[in-house]
Amino acid sequence: MLLSQIRTPSGDLKVIAREGTEAFELRGAESVYALALDCARDGEKIADRIGRLGFGSAVDLAKAYEEGRLAPPILHPDPAHLHLTGTGLTHLGSASTRDAMHQKTMKADEATLTDSMRMFRMGVEGGKPATGKPGVQPEWFYKGNGTMVAAPGAALSSPAFADDGGEEPEIAGIYVIGDDGTPFRVGFALANEFSDHVMERVNYLYLAHSKLRPASFGPEILVGDLPRDVRGTSRIRRGGETIFEKPFLSGETNMSHTIANLEHHHFKYGVFRQPGDVHVHMFGTATLSFADGVRTEPGDVFEIESAAFGMPLRNGYAVTELPARDDVVRVNAL
């Protein structure tokens, strides 16, 4: 089952559910957020709740996408309570991509391994622990809150002081936190973990800066388990021409960590178990156009697709005008 949200012409939010090609409004649900929290409180599976609520009018999702009416598939009423986070070096092949990006080579000697290769090796050796046991922790990063979410079809806006803006095709886990602090997974979605790879390449310690950029996810949430072998395509279009296209792999078959281990190492922190919060946690990638020498330009369109997740995630690339690159943000004393 796939869940999404659209805006009506009057601006109201509607929850849309579909299995197969037919999509319908869900009766009695004001938002995916409210639906998920109600299920968490009642101990009911989302699919079962949807079956009880029933469906209303049919919806043409493709047309809504073209009209710019697709909303992110989950939002929080207060954007400060939606957290965008992620992990890196979690996919088989991701270390070689990162090392290529940093223009370093892998050495067999532990003393000469890059930090990226060390982190990757740790994941390969200890990222898939026995059930119920914690494994090695992954690289982790913070992207921002709900103010940084771009809707499917909207532009990913890079700040004027950025050095670059590039796509990262990923799978994200979508979560709400129950009243007692228990994390509940709503499902999984495609995500574009938009980052500044030129800044990151200057020095790996700039990784935190490079990640403070908008992200997009959706358009639909896959309710249920993540397929073990996810296959998709990442592409960039410029002026109607495809300038980059490459497959990406995800799912535990193609990862050095289990999803459960990545979830544990995020939600082990109490700050991420605050009742009512929403988390969009991205699980990493091994495919970057930047690593293949592509330099994006404003006006480019990123497209990430995988059949299991419904409609493709499509976003343009834009650059904000303010603050300008050389503007100094001044702080006033009280």
Side-chain angles (χ1 to χ4, degrees), residues 239-283:
E241 177 186 354
T242 299
I243 65 165
F244 172 82
E245 182 170 285
K246 193 170 184 178
F248 72 90
L249 303 176
S250 193
E252 289 187 1
T253 296
N254 306 298
M255 296 173 68
S256 54
H257 289 258
T258 63
I259 296 298
N261 191 51
L262 300 179
E263 291 175 333
H264 161 71
H265 285 296
H266 179 67
F267 291 111
K268 69 184 181 184
Y269 295 102
V271 68
F272 297 140
R273 300 195 307 273
Q274 299 302 303
D277 280 6
V278 172
H279 289 257
V280 178
H281 191 55
M282 289 160 269
F283 296 125

Side-chain angles (χ1 to χ4, degrees), residues 39-117:
C39 288
R41 290 174 179 135
D42 296 340
E44 186 174 21
K45 295 292 186 182
I46 287 179
D48 294 337
R49 176 64 64 95
I50 289 172
R52 286 200 303 105
L53 291 174
F55 301 110
S57 302
V59 175
D60 186 338
L61 278 178
K63 183 178 180 182
Y65 209 165
E66 291 174 2
E67 295 173 347
R69 294 194 292 111
L70 284 185
I74 193 168
L75 293 166
H76 192 287
D78 179 355
H81 288 276
L82 187 154
H83 306 277
L84 292 171
T85 55
T87 60
L89 296 170
T90 54
H91 284 63
L92 304 175
S94 60
S96 58
T97 298
R98 180 69 60 78
D99 255 22
M101 193 175 81
H102 290 180
Q103 297 181 334
K104 297 177 182 178
T105 58
M106 180 178 179
K107 303 295 182 182
D109 182 2
E110 176 67 26
T112 60
L113 285 178
T114 65
D115 288 339
S116 294
M117 294 307 304

Side-chain angles (χ1 to χ4, degrees), residues 291-302:
D292 285 356
V294 176
R295 287 300 303 268
T296 57
E297 299 176 357
D300 288 351
V301 175
F302 305 112

